[in-house]
Amino acid sequence: MGMPPAEESSLVGQGGQIGQRTADPGHMSTSQVEEWATEVDDVTAKINGIIDGSITDFDALDRQMDLKARTKQIREEEAKARKERFLLNGCEGKGEGERYKWWCKRCFVEYFIDLPEHQCTRCKKSDQMMTQQERRAELMDKVEVFKEDKARHQWRKDKWSRWKKSQALLKRSRYINYKAWEYWEPDTDTEDEGEPIVPRDNPEFMAMEADMKDRKKKQSDKAKTAEKCRQRGNQSMKEGDFVGAIEHYDEGLEYRRDSKALWTNKALAELKVFRWHDAINSCNKVIEYSEIFEDGFTKSADACFKAFTRRAQALRALHKWDEALHDLEDAVKLFPKDKEARDLRDKTKAAFEEATKAKTLQDGGAVSPKEDEGVTEEVQNPSPQPSGPVRVEIEESDEEDDSAAELLASASAPGSVAGMSKQDFAKLLKDLKDSEAQRVLFCVRKGGDLINSPAVKADQWVGRKVDLKQVEEVAEPSRLDNLLKDAERCLVLWKKRTPDANGRRAMQDDEPEAKEADAYVSMVTPRVLGILHILATSSDHHCALTAPSVRSIFPLLSSEKWRYDIMLLLMEWSQRSITARSMAEFAGRYPEMVKLLIDLAAEDSKDSILPPGLEDRAKKAADRFEHGKAGLESAMEDVIQGLMAQSPVELAVSTLGNICLAGTANVQFKEQITPFASELVGALCLHLRPLDWRVCGKAAGALCNVLRVGDVMAQTVQEQCTKPLLTALREENESEGPAAKMKDLMSQMGAGDLQNTGLPIQSSSARLLGALLNLVVVRPTAVTEVRDMGGLELMVPLIDPELATFSGGSSGSTASLSDREDGPEVVALRAALVASRLLTSAHASMTQELEADLLRKLYKLFDKIKFADLRQGAKALAAGEIEKLPALEWLDPAVRMLVTVLTKTPGALDRLTQSAPRIEELPDDLDDLPSLKEPAVSFSDLIARLTDIIAALQPREHVGPDQEGSTLSRLRGNLALLFGTLSEVQSKEDAPPSVRNMDLRKCVDVMVDTLRKERGAVQQNVGVCVTRLATNPRYIQQVRDLNGIESLHQIQMPKVQAQKAEEAKKHRLETSVEDRRAEVLRRLKQQQALKPGLD
């Protein structure tokens, strides 16, 4: 560098930094030396510039030098701050070195400085902080333990080696030497090593780690975006925007193709817009993914179940019955107890059998004569059906314009009913009505109902993916398909020719097509209605095939010309599950259709209440009788035939109730119908009149279904219908009055029961009780209101123990009374169910006379039980061999009422056991003590029957999670509550003789065994019962012999520990500010996660 010392000294004084760095060159680092050399070169260049005159502006030079000095100072300050942050945050490590001062055992962080309050800067706690000396001592202790383990391992290894050498000298034995297992030791101790330490300074590993983190972050971001798309799609589904939902799901699938929820939701939306092939493809993705990557469908059972059922629905729409049946069978295997899947499987199986039959007919075969004749005879002589619509034949008008028919015949599409003559159409109607084979051929598609799978090689893997090429094969449309097109065209033309709200028409009268449109609508509409009604009333399968025409027929209800015929068809559709759901979906999108039905149900005119044409028919019958042309019986038969038809109000009320039942699972339907809650409930409440036996029962039945639609609807029913329901029920069951006289009149006519008269009238008591039962179940607040109106006093007299049936083992009948709607047995059972609900809140206000009457009826119920059949039936029900046990329908409310009376009603147990009151004020002029009243029933006999019942209900196996809260478990829990109370009373010194002589030893074995096999709240009740039995001196030894106390301890200990943990958590939240803040943040996150919509 060769510069003069004086000049260097002067320049160093200006910079102020070089002099410091050159103070001790021996301790400078390589980077410092290089920086110093660069500065020296820069200073030398500036000196040479001053000497040769190239630098003349010395002020600019000074500013430049100051700027560089300030820049260097800022860099040094930043480096110092980084160093301080580094020292404050520490460095990750295991505390194995010696250069650190403190080590956090919780965060695995080493600190090289003393921290404030010795607190970790990461976890903000000091309880796990250790000094370097403490950490080293801990590690040295671990080293000593490791050395001992290493020595023992080496000793066992040497022993194993010596044993192998000794065994090599012996001959091989044909027996397995199990003693070798005691000597075996692994060759290495790698399994005892800890977690591998990753190389920190390896650039290749660091690059790979960074790439892995980057990919994971991108994958996480994509998953979040896909979830947001799914939520937007779900919101669009709720709003009825199915096309928009499909777009959102497609967008989400661009970010995450393996999301099963996106595929299944997309398939559901595609079903809503009738994109059958797209829905099949979406379901294929889920099924194929699970089949290949998850080795089956059980790992993602829920998603695969949805995929199978939704693909089956699409295949059903395409009449691919074989593949649809396979899908539904797979779905039922995943969830065997799903009722809708099993119902759809059975319907698809019937459709497949019919498709096979149709193929035989198309190939030239024939249906067996007996089968076809049986169907014909059944249709020609229909039996009266009071609960459903009467099948009315829709005939062509004699005034039909022949010229219009010829015009439509020439202009109609092939296969349309518009091109048929009057005679041909009448023949078609007769054939469809009389012959099942004709109905099958009318609905079948040629070449499309069965899938002929291609031949599969022996070594070829066959999956559950549906080949879209086979599905896309277009079959020849059936005649039903052409009829559905006719219905759609009728709706389109009718809308064009009907004035809108402003009185304008899309097709004016002067347009050339107007006359043809009017002729088409007037002729084709009644023909379409006639055929659809025949198909809808023939079978579930044919009715389901007509479901696409719901959106074409429902809007025509606003036309008075065909209103009654349309209401007949809507009523029949609403009674079938598939078409009823289609109606609910359509009503959810167009709620004005429900409003139209409500208006029809609320009409109180003569034309709406009476069946159509009844007055004319009655007048003609009277005229024939007066002129001697017909006898009294013939005239009455004509009038009765007219009365058998249902009135428009009956059809509207029944249709509304059925649609509400089908729409309980449809969110959009419930949202759209809620604004009409007051009008709907008011229209049904108008018909809750006891003498209106045609409509009263139907209105009550509709209210049963309306209660399930939502809270707003249930609240409206409680406000408007509670009193009318009780009034109608009370008046209908009075011993004297108009209703009683009407029943006597029917009995004198030989009818006996109203259902046997052939008239569409029926007793309303069963359905009124059903509405009350649903009301108190859905709206618990209505229990108090019903109780205050005398509901309990009304229910108890209706309970008839003579009508109770307790048979029904595994070999007996499993027909359930809950599946029936009418009959004296149903009335008695529903009265018992309502009374059991009311007793929970009205036990204190029950009179002694009512209490005695109820106990006598309950005793008669228990006396009819066949305990062997009950034990056999309970065993079959628990094993899943039967779905329902009719005996439990009566036993459950009876036991519930008895337990409520004896454990909660003040003085009820004392009156039953003839226990004298402890303190009683007596008048002064009383000579003798009043005698105690005789108990309503024998206490000892009642306890003996209850003991037999609990023995018959003893569980044979442990109760599973899906059986928790079942009827059997509920009965065990209620009886355990009763026996625990009785044992507690028996252990008292002043127990009455009947209680003191009571023997519960038979119950001890059952209760201890039930304690071990039950779960949940029932197990808790049984535990209380066993505890009280153990405190009774009579049974304590028996409980000990059965290890009942140990079982109690084992079962109650986890609950006690959980309770203690919960109390400790509450105490920690109350005393710790940080824990309380963390709990608040956790709850806020949960609330935000539960909110609908996007974040």
Side-chain angles (χ1 to χ4, degrees):
M1 297 292 176
M3 61 184 68
E7 295 180 359
E8 181 180 358
S9 176
S10 63
L11 288 175
V12 168
Q14 293 178 3
Q17 298 295 330
I18 298 178
Q20 295 178 5
R21 296 190 178 183
T22 58
D24 191 4
H27 293 84
M28 295 175 63
S29 63
T30 305
S31 60
Q32 290 176 339
V33 171
E34 292 178 355
E35 183 180 359
W36 180 80
T38 303
E39 290 181 356
V40 169
D41 292 341
D42 188 24
V43 171
T44 303
K46 288 182 174 60
I47 292 175
N48 292 332
I50 294 172
I51 294 174
D52 60 17
S54 59
I55 298 177
T56 57
D57 189 356
F58 295 101
D59 293 335
L61 180 62
D62 291 340
R63 287 194 299 272
Q64 185 178 3
M65 295 291 291
D66 293 340
L67 182 61
K68 288 185 176 181
R70 178 57 182 162
T71 302
K72 189 178 299 183
Q73 183 181 0
I74 291 173
R75 289 177 179 173
E76 290 179 353
E77 291 176 355
E78 291 177 350
K80 184 179 179 181
R82 285 195 299 270
K83 183 177 180 181
E84 291 177 353
R85 285 196 301 270
F86 171 77
L87 294 175
L88 191 61
N89 291 329
C91 179
E92 294 183 0
K94 296 184 178 181
E96 298 173 349
E98 298 180 355
R99 298 179 57 189
Y100 65 92
K101 288 187 175 183
W102 293 90
W103 182 73
C104 181
K105 194 173 183 180
R106 179 181 291 103
C107 306
F108 279 70
V109 177
E110 299 173 353
Y111 294 98
F112 303 93
I113 60 175
D114 291 327
L115 300 173
E117 300 180 0
H118 304 305
Q119 190 178 71
C120 176
T121 58
R122 299 197 181 188
C123 63
K124 307 298 182 183
K125 295 184 179 180
S126 59
D127 56 339
Q128 297 292 330
M129 295 292 292
M130 302 176 66
T131 62
Q132 190 271 338
Q133 293 79 9
E134 293 173 346
R135 174 59 176 168
R136 182 171 181 80
E138 183 183 37
L139 291 176
M140 294 304 296
D141 291 341
K142 291 184 178 181
V143 168
E144 295 299 327
V145 174
F146 177 76
K147 287 180 178 179
E148 294 177 1
D149 293 342
K150 188 75 173 178
R152 284 194 297 268
H153 169 69
Q154 187 62 36
W155 181 82
R156 291 193 301 268
K157 190 175 179 180
D158 295 341
K159 182 179 179 182
W160 168 249
S161 300
R162 291 194 301 271
W163 186 87
K164 283 198 301 183
K165 292 178 181 178
S166 63
Q167 292 297 316
L169 302 176
L170 303 176
K171 296 182 179 180
R172 169 173 277 182
S173 175
R174 60 179 179 175
Y175 301 105
I176 299 175
N177 190 353
Y178 294 100
K179 193 174 182 181
W181 296 355
E182 300 177 4
Y183 292 95
W184 180 84
E185 185 71 16
D187 293 335
T188 63
D189 55 354
T190 55
E191 66 273 6
D192 296 333
E193 295 180 0
E195 293 290 332
I197 301 176
V198 298
R200 295 184 178 180
D201 300 330
N202 190 335
E204 296 180 357
F205 177 80
M206 294 175 65
M208 183 179 67
E209 183 181 16
D211 181 66
M212 291 173 61
K213 291 181 178 179
D214 184 57
R215 290 187 179 185
K216 186 176 181 180
K217 184 178 182 304
K218 288 181 179 179
Q219 187 177 4
S220 177
D221 294 341
K222 288 182 178 180
K224 292 179 181 178
T225 306
E227 176 62 20
K228 291 182 178 180
C229 293
R230 187 188 67 84
Q231 294 177 1
R232 286 197 294 265
N234 293 350
Q235 186 63 30
S236 298
M237 288 286 288
K238 293 179 181 178
E239 296 172 356
D241 183 12
F242 303 124
V243 177
I246 294 174
E247 294 176 356
H248 289 307
Y249 294 140
D250 279 332
E251 182 182 357
L253 289 170
E254 293 179 3
Y255 294 98
R256 190 176 176 185
R257 302 289 294 179
D258 61 341
S259 175
K260 302 182 185 69
L262 285 172
W263 285 114
T264 54
N265 289 3
K266 180 171 176 281
L268 179 61
E270 287 164 344
L271 289 176
K272 298 293 185 181
V273 293
F274 316 113
R275 299 181 183 177
W276 316 121
H277 296 87
D278 293 341
I280 293 173
N281 185 42
S282 299
C283 295
N284 277 344
K285 300 293 184 182
V286 178
I287 294 170
E288 193 174 14
Y289 180 89
S290 300
E291 193 173 22
I292 295 175
F293 296 103
E294 298 178 356
D295 297 329
F297 310 115
T298 55
K299 186 176 181 179
S300 303
D302 186 63
C304 292
F305 175 80
K306 293 178 180 178
F308 278 126
T309 52
R310 291 169 187 177
R311 189 171 73 174
Q313 293 177 28
L315 291 168
R316 280 175 55 89
L318 297 172
H319 291 205
K320 307 297 181 182
W321 311 113
D322 189 11
E323 288 293 330
L325 182 59
H326 290 328
D327 282 351
L328 290 170
E329 287 175 348
D330 289 336
V332 171
K333 289 179 183 177
L334 293 174
F335 290 96
K337 295 185 178 181
D338 191 275
K339 185 177 180 181
E340 291 188 4
R342 288 190 283 111
D343 182 53
L344 192 61
R345 179 198 59 184
D346 296 339
K347 293 179 179 178
T348 306
K349 185 176 182 181
F352 174 70
E353 293 174 354
E354 183 171 300
T356 307
K357 185 191 304 181
K359 192 173 186 302
T360 304
L361 293 172
Q362 289 176 349
D363 294 340
V367 186
S368 60
K370 292 183 179 180
E371 182 181 358
D372 201 25
E373 289 174 4
V375 175
T376 304
E377 182 179 355
E378 180 184 356
V379 176
Q380 290 176 351
N381 300 290
S383 58
Q385 298 180 355
S387 60
V390 179
R391 301 180 182 178
V392 178
E393 181 178 355
I394 302 176
E395 300 179 352
E396 289 291 327
S397 173
D398 294 334
E399 300 177 357
E400 185 179 285
D401 190 355
D402 293 336
S403 60
E406 294 177 359
L407 176 63
L408 293 177
S410 60
S412 61
S416 172
V417 294
M420 301 179 66
S421 64
K422 186 188 304 182
Q423 293 76 15
D424 293 341
F425 180 72
K427 184 177 182 302
L428 174 62
L429 275 182
K430 185 178 183 304
D431 292 341
L432 292 176
K433 187 179 298 185
D434 296 345
S435 174
E436 182 185 5
Q438 292 298 325
R439 291 194 294 271
V440 170
L441 292 174
F442 185 86
C443 299
V444 73
R445 294 175 181 172
K446 295 183 179 179
D449 287 6
L450 298 175
I451 295 181
N452 296 321
S453 302
V456 180
K457 298 179 181 179
D459 57 347
Q460 183 178 354
W461 180 79
V462 180
R464 291 294 294 112
K465 178 181 178 181
V466 172
D467 189 0
L468 287 176
K469 293 182 179 179
Q470 296 184 14
V471 175
E472 290 175 355
E473 293 179 359
V474 180
E476 182 179 344
S478 65
R479 299 179 69 180
L480 177 60
D481 294 331
N482 296 328
L483 186 74
L484 299 181
K485 293 180 181 178
D486 288 338
E488 292 179 3
R489 189 181 178 193
C490 285
L491 177 62
V492 172
L493 295 178
W494 176 80
K495 285 183 176 180
K496 289 183 177 180
R497 296 291 295 147
T498 303
D500 57 12
N502 299 323
R504 292 176 296 186
R505 297 181 178 177
M507 182 183 293
Q508 301 298 329
D509 295 338
D510 55 354
E511 295 186 23
E513 299 87 356
K515 184 177 180 181
E516 181 181 348
D518 292 339
Y520 186 90
V521 173
S522 62
M523 176 187 291
V524 176
T525 302
R527 292 186 174 186
V528 170
L529 293 175
I531 297 177
L532 289 177
H533 190 272
I534 292 175
L535 296 177
T537 55
S538 62
S539 67
D540 284 341
H541 172 55
H542 290 154
C543 186
L545 293 179
T546 63
S549 62
V550 169
R551 60 181 183 271
S552 302
I553 301 300
F554 213 149
L556 296 177
L557 185 62
S558 57
S559 175
E560 296 183 1
K561 186 175 182 181
W562 313 290
R563 178 169 294 172
Y564 186 78
D565 298 336
I566 293 174
M567 292 182 68
L568 282 174
L569 181 58
L570 293 179
M571 172 62 188
E572 191 62 41
W573 274 342
S574 68
Q575 292 181 320
R576 316 274 185 167
S577 58
I578 295 178
T579 47
R581 284 196 296 268
S582 299
M583 293 176 68
E585 291 177 2
F586 185 81
R589 302 190 68 179
Y590 303 98
E592 59 271 12
M593 296 293 101
V594 179
K595 180 63 169 62
L596 185 57
L597 281 174
I598 294 174
D599 295 339
L600 293 174
E603 286 188 10
D604 201 13
S605 62
K606 181 175 62 175
D607 294 337
S608 61
I609 294 177
L610 296 178
L614 178 61
E615 287 187 310
D616 295 339
R617 182 185 289 268
K619 186 176 180 180
K620 291 179 181 179
D623 292 342
R624 288 198 303 271
F625 177 70
E626 289 179 0
H627 294 87
K629 297 181 179 179
L632 179 61
E633 294 183 359
S634 177
M636 286 296 296
E637 185 178 353
D638 290 343
V639 176
I640 290 177
Q641 288 293 329
L643 287 172
M644 288 177 61
Q646 298 196 66
S647 65
V649 168
E650 294 177 76
L651 295 174
V653 168
S654 300
T655 304
L656 275 173
N658 293 339
I659 292 178
C660 289
L661 177 62
T664 52
N666 192 320
V667 178
Q668 185 181 8
F669 172 79
K670 293 194 287 188
E671 291 178 353
Q672 295 297 327
I673 200 177
T674 299
F676 304 114
S678 181
E679 299 176 51
L680 172 58
V681 175
L684 298 177
C685 189
L686 285 175
H687 304 290
L688 295 178
R689 298 186 286 256
L691 294 180
D692 190 1
W693 285 348
R694 290 182 65 100
V695 190
C696 182
K698 292 181 174 63
L703 285 175
C704 293
N705 299 335
V706 169
L707 282 164
R708 308 179 186 180
V709 174
D711 294 337
V712 176
M713 201 71 71
Q715 181 180 358
T716 308
V717 173
Q718 179 184 351
E719 294 173 354
Q720 298 186 20
C721 300
T722 304
K723 185 176 181 180
L725 284 170
L726 288 171
T727 302
L729 183 63
R730 184 177 289 108
E731 293 183 9
E732 186 167 314
N733 290 278
E734 287 179 348
S735 57
E736 296 181 358
K741 293 180 180 179
M742 186 65 178
K743 291 180 182 178
D744 294 340
L745 179 61
M746 291 294 179
S747 300
Q748 294 173 6
M749 293 174 59
D753 190 11
L754 293 178
Q755 280 74 21
N756 298 327
T757 61
L759 299 175
I761 59 177
Q762 54 191 353
S763 175
S764 307
S765 297
R767 298 193 181 189
L768 290 170
L769 285 167
L772 283 172
L773 179 60
N774 283 9
L775 177 61
V776 296
V777 170
V778 176
R779 297 283 297 176
T781 56
V783 174
T784 305
E785 188 175 352
V786 175
R787 179 198 63 191
D788 295 340
M789 293 181 182
L792 187 59
E793 291 76 6
L794 178 60
M795 298 301 151
V796 174
L798 296 178
I799 302 175
D800 190 354
E802 300 298 332
L803 300 174
T805 55
F806 286 97
S807 62
S810 59
S811 59
S813 171
T814 58
S816 174
L817 284 177
S818 59
D819 297 334
R820 295 170 51 183
E821 295 184 357
D822 300 298
E825 306 94 339
V826 180
V827 172
L829 176 60
R830 290 183 179 177
L833 291 170
V834 176
S836 65
R837 293 277 177 177
L838 298 179
L839 271 176
T840 56
S841 63
H843 53 268
S845 61
M846 187 168 52
T847 63
Q848 294 185 15
E849 291 77 10
L850 189 64
E851 173 191 313
D853 186 23
L854 180 60
L855 287 176
R856 282 190 289 268
K857 292 186 175 184
L858 294 178
Y859 182 80
K860 289 182 180 179
L861 283 172
F862 298 141
D863 195 37
K864 295 183 62 176
I865 297 177
K866 298 178 180 178
F867 299 105
D869 291 345
L870 180 61
R871 183 181 295 105
Q872 188 178 6
K875 182 179 179 181
L877 182 64
E881 299 175 4
I882 57 176
E883 295 182 1
K884 292 182 179 180
L885 185 60
L888 299 184
E889 293 183 343
W890 275 102
L891 191 58
D892 182 31
V895 169
R896 194 186 313 160
M897 286 188 287
L898 180 66
V899 174
T900 304
V901 170
L902 296 184
T903 60
K904 295 185 178 181
T905 304
L909 184 59
D910 294 338
R911 288 187 288 272
L912 186 62
T913 58
Q914 289 185 308
S915 175
R918 297 180 181 179
I919 300 175
E920 183 178 359
E921 251 185 60
L922 299 176
D924 297 335
D925 56 350
L926 186 65
D927 296 333
D928 297 328
L929 292 175
S931 59
L932 296 176
K933 294 182 179 180
E934 289 293 329
V937 296
S938 173
F939 178 75
S940 58
D941 293 343
L942 178 63
I943 297 303
R945 281 158 179 77
L946 293 177
T947 305
D948 292 335
I949 291 175
I950 193 62
L953 299 179
Q954 181 178 358
R956 302 298 185 270
E957 302 290 341
H958 287 274
V959 176
D962 56 338
Q963 297 176 341
E964 183 178 357
S966 63
T967 306
L968 285 173
S969 296
R970 193 163 56 246
L971 280 167
R972 298 180 191 122
N974 289 334
L975 288 173
L977 185 63
L978 176 60
F979 286 126
T981 303
L982 293 176
S983 176
E984 185 179 19
V985 174
Q986 188 184 35
S987 61
K988 296 180 180 179
E989 295 181 358
D990 57 346
S994 57
V995 177
R996 195 181 307 116
N997 298 330
M998 178 179 58
D999 187 7
L1000 298 180
R1001 286 177 298 178
K1002 188 176 180 181
C1003 297
V1004 176
D1005 297 349
V1006 178
M1007 286 300 166
V1008 173
D1009 185 57
T1010 305
L1011 174 66
R1012 296 166 180 156
K1013 295 178 179 178
E1014 271 292 352
R1015 56 192 303 132
V1018 175
Q1019 188 183 55
Q1020 184 176 357
N1021 277 7
V1022 178
V1024 172
C1025 178
V1026 173
T1027 303
R1028 291 178 177 176
L1029 288 171
T1031 57
N1032 193 324
R1034 294 191 179 189
Y1035 315 116
I1036 183 171
Q1037 188 59 42
Q1038 188 178 359
V1039 174
R1040 288 177 177 175
D1041 295 341
L1042 296 171
N1043 296 327
I1045 298 177
E1046 289 80 358
S1047 299
L1048 274 173
H1049 179 75
Q1050 294 175 0
I1051 293 172
Q1052 294 297 329
M1053 183 56 66
K1055 298 180 181 179
V1056 173
Q1057 292 177 351
Q1059 186 177 2
K1060 289 182 179 179
E1062 185 65 24
E1063 292 176 355
K1065 180 180 178 182
K1066 291 181 179 179
H1067 177 72
R1068 190 170 61 253
L1069 292 176
E1070 292 174 357
T1071 57
S1072 174
V1073 178
E1074 295 180 358
D1075 291 341
R1076 187 160 59 250
R1077 185 183 297 112
E1079 180 68 15
V1080 171
L1081 292 175
R1082 185 184 66 82
R1083 293 182 179 180
L1084 287 175
K1085 290 181 179 179
Q1086 288 182 350
Q1087 293 177 359
Q1088 292 176 356
L1090 293 175
K1091 288 182 179 179
L1094 300 178
D1095 297 336

